[in-house]
Amino acid sequence: MAAEGARGRGAGRAARPGVRRVARAVRRHEPEDPAGSWYTPDQTVGFWIRRMAQETVIHRIDAELGTGQPVAPVPDDLAVDGIDELLKVFVAYSVAEWGDYFTEILGGSPGRTYAVRTDGAAWTVRTGPALFTVEDGTGADAADVTVSGPPTAVLRWVWNRGDIGITVEGAPEAVEELRRCIVMATQ
């Protein structure tokens, strides 16, 4: 156990210079300053600040799961933002921009509605052939699948990091369609 702890501390020390360089670069810019990215709608430093925060959260969860440690809660606002980013920036944008990758998943979709709900936030996802849209809030349509739970639990579920504390209601094939879209968009 002591050796494992030492390796972990050494890895942290090794990463510090890189973290410092990134922090200095971010501090030199305003979030609205221009910065290129793969996500055409947001070409700003703010996109990268958000992306780095969310990437860090998910990899922290991976490290906790991988070492058998309890997964620490993610602040609710950060978890809600992570769910929003995954659904809109990763999946909806990917389907719109690179739809051919989703043909096998969505080509035969009968058209489904998903409600993703957590404390203080909700999203309505609609799928169909070549379609994956996300709207804030729950729509008037009945959902084929509802995913709900506390923010950290929903964040972990959408990123395929566990289903503890989550409620998923709906036909397994509909849940699988959503899961497969998320996996395709995040690989």
Side-chain angles (χ1 to χ4, degrees), residues 153-178:
V154 175
L155 178 69
R156 287 182 61 186
W157 188 88
V158 297
W159 276 103
N160 201 25
R161 295 331 196 256
D163 58 5
I164 296 170
I166 219 71
T167 301
V168 179
E169 299 170 323
E173 63 275 8
V175 175
E176 183 66 14
E177 179 180 277
L178 177 61

Side-chain angles (χ1 to χ4, degrees), residues 7-20:
R7 278 196 303 268
R9 285 190 299 277
R13 276 193 298 275
R16 284 188 198 129
V19 170
R20 286 187 196 115

Side-chain angles (χ1 to χ4, degrees), residues 27-43:
R27 281 193 300 269
R28 285 195 306 263
H29 295 279
E30 295 299 319
E32 61 274 2
D33 285 352
S37 78
W38 55 266
Y39 183 62
T40 309
D42 189 353
Q43 299 287 304

Side-chain angles (χ1 to χ4, degrees), residues 33-121:
D33 285 352
S37 78
W38 55 266
Y39 183 62
T40 309
D42 189 353
Q43 299 287 304
T44 66
V45 170
F47 169 84
W48 288 109
I49 293 169
R50 179 188 199 192
R51 181 80 290 278
M52 287 186 290
Q54 293 302 332
E55 191 76 9
T56 301
V57 165
I58 294 304
H59 287 299
R60 188 209 75 201
I61 291 170
D62 289 342
E64 290 165 339
L65 291 170
T67 58
Q69 301 299 310
V71 174
V74 176
D76 287 355
D77 59 338
L78 190 58
V80 166
D81 184 62
I83 299 161
D84 188 79
E85 183 197 46
L86 181 126
L87 293 173
K88 295 176 182 176
V89 174
F90 279 94
V91 189
Y93 182 76
S94 294
V95 171
E97 288 295 309
W98 305 292
D100 290 349
Y101 289 99
F102 296 86
T103 301
E104 183 181 320
I105 302 165
L106 294 172
S109 175
R112 294 186 170 106
T113 301
Y114 299 83
V116 179
R117 298 181 180 134
T118 191
D119 303 337

Side-chain angles (χ1 to χ4, degrees), residues 115-134:
V116 179
R117 298 181 180 134
T118 191
D119 303 337
W123 300 265
T124 299
V125 175
R126 289 188 177 79
T127 63
L131 175 72
F132 190 103
T133 63
V134 181

